[in-house]
Amino acid sequence: MTSSSLKVLFLVSAMCICANYLAIAQVQAATKTIVHAKANDPKENLVSNILKLALSKSGSPDTYRFQEYPDGINEARLISLLKDGAITVAWAGTKKEYEDELFPIRVPILKGLLGHRIFIIRKGTQQMFDQVETLDDLRAIKLGQGKFWGDTTVLKHNRMSVVDPVKYPNLFYMLEGGRFDFFPRAVHEPWSEVAARPELNLTVENNILLIYPYAMYYFVAPENAKLGRYIEVGFRNAIDDGSFNEMFFSHPLIRDVLEKSDLQSRKVFRLSNPNMSPQTPFDEKKLWLDINNIEL
């Protein structure tokens, strides 16, 4: 066989190999539907957009179509639907039970922002909080929190004085009625909650910030771990290339919250969170909000 014939044979073989590889790749790649809870408020909308960003940066061969679950659901139902396969990806504040039973993507979706708490108080009581100098001073003031909320466990663990009714709406009326004196809320919550209840004598406290580690994660079912790994890879890629920070800090909800709350100027008290797993990536500072380095 001549050298020219060998070259032709080699080229033909190489083309066959490439064609076979492309055919295999096309078989492996697919359009997959990601079913998630309704993104029916600004925070949920941001979280769903971060998920889309992560999967766009994941290197997955698949194409993803995103679909909202048709009904509004509470967190317990959300987790049940995830386990049953009716929902593909869920997001929730993490706790040991979820991390043990599901596949967690251990990157805090909102930079741990949910663990930054400012207070709803009664109008005319700001002076009480102006006099707070230590955590023990704050412990002496009664606060309100829902009985079954994860935050309630955190606050009781840190020896705060907690009044904990079952129903969320009751907290506002109990605060106005003097059953307790402050209602800690995640920084994106208090202004809209006060504005929604103009008939109540409530306002937002000016000076104090509670911080405790609190991560909201994406979760998938254990049998969907491959998708979970793609989400984590893509999320971390988006953090490293700056596209996550760009989306996060430019979002109208986040911009509004950070401007109103003026976190850098507040007196900070830090609490521990017994609900956080030892596998929480506390050492990766780039994953968490740094109130002294906010990009507005």
Side-chain angles (χ1 to χ4, degrees):
M1 185 178 291
T2 65
S3 60
S4 60
S5 299
L6 285 172
K7 287 179 181 178
V8 170
L9 181 61
F10 175 78
L11 288 171
V12 170
S13 298
M15 290 171 67
C16 289
I17 291 169
C18 288
N20 288 336
Y21 175 80
L22 287 171
I24 292 170
Q26 287 171 352
V27 169
Q28 289 177 337
T31 298
K32 295 186 176 180
T33 301
I34 303 292
V35 183
H36 59 80
K38 282 190 174 182
N40 54 2
D41 66 39
K43 186 197 78 174
E44 299 296 299
N45 179 262
L46 173 58
V47 173
S48 69
N49 284 339
I50 292 168
L51 175 62
K52 293 170 186 176
L53 175 67
L55 282 170
S56 76
K57 304 265 181 183
S58 68
S60 168
D62 297 320
T63 300
Y64 296 98
R65 184 172 70 89
F66 297 86
Q67 177 181 318
E68 293 186 347
Y69 191 76
D71 301 321
I73 44 179
N74 62 29
E75 187 172 298
R77 178 72 173 141
L78 173 70
I79 299 302
S80 175
L81 290 168
L82 182 67
K83 291 176 180 178
D84 292 344
I87 280 180
T88 320
V89 180
W91 48 84
T94 190
K95 55 185 178 180
K96 186 177 186 301
E97 173 190 343
Y98 294 170
E99 294 194 36
D100 288 345
E101 297 178 2
L102 303 168
F103 185 94
I105 292 86
R106 290 190 177 94
V107 181
I109 299 171
L110 297 179
K111 291 180 168 285
L113 188 67
L114 298 182
H116 294 64
R117 301 276 159 160
I118 55 183
F119 310 153
I120 299 175
I121 62 173
R122 285 186 305 283
K123 290 179 181 177
T125 63
Q126 179 63 50
Q127 186 177 5
M128 179 189 307
F129 297 92
D130 292 342
Q131 294 172 355
V132 169
E133 297 294 338
T134 67
L135 186 54
D136 282 336
D137 292 340
L138 195 58
R139 287 181 175 125
I141 305 174
K142 287 184 180 180
L143 66 88
Q145 201 80 173
K147 183 174 287 292
F148 302 112
W149 298 355
D151 309 277
T152 306
T153 303
V154 174
L155 295 164
K156 289 183 174 180
H157 173 78
N158 286 274
R159 298 183 292 112
M160 306 297 288
S161 301
V162 181
V163 176
D164 55 351
V166 173
K167 295 182 178 180
Y168 160 77
N170 291 352
L171 285 153
F172 299 95
Y173 295 94
M174 292 172 70
L175 172 57
E176 189 195 39
R179 294 280 300 279
F180 52 84
D181 295 305
F182 69 105
F183 183 13
R185 306 300 291 138
V187 294
H188 66 282
E189 295 171 322
W191 285 276
S192 61
E193 290 178 328
V194 169
R197 297 164 178 84
E199 75 281 7
L200 300 181
N201 189 41
L202 302 177
T203 189
V204 181
E205 199 278 329
N206 294 326
N207 296 328
I208 295 175
L209 173 65
L210 275 183
I211 298 179
Y212 46 85
Y214 192 69
M216 180 166 63
Y217 290 154
Y218 296 115
F219 293 91
V220 298
E223 59 270 21
N224 229 350
K226 182 178 179 181
L227 172 64
R229 285 189 282 270
Y230 275 128
I231 294 171
E232 178 166 1
V233 167
F235 201 162
R236 288 180 173 275
N237 286 341
I239 290 169
D240 289 341
D241 70 17
S243 55
F244 167 67
N245 270 1
E246 182 179 354
M247 175 178 286
F248 180 80
F249 286 112
S250 66
H251 191 277
L253 170 68
I254 300 303
R255 292 190 67 84
D256 183 58
V257 161
L258 294 178
E259 288 170 359
K260 281 181 177 176
S261 58
D262 191 20
L263 299 183
Q264 302 96 318
S265 300
R266 288 176 174 264
K267 187 178 298 181
V268 174
F269 297 103
R270 295 185 181 272
L271 307 180
S272 58
N273 185 348
N275 297 327
M276 299 301 286
S277 159
Q279 295 173 276
T280 306
F282 291 126
D283 293 339
E284 295 187 72
K285 302 303 182 187
K286 66 183 179 181
L287 305 184
W288 303 89
L289 183 69
D290 177 359
I291 63 172
N292 297 310
N293 187 25
I294 290 175
E295 302 177 15
L296 288 180

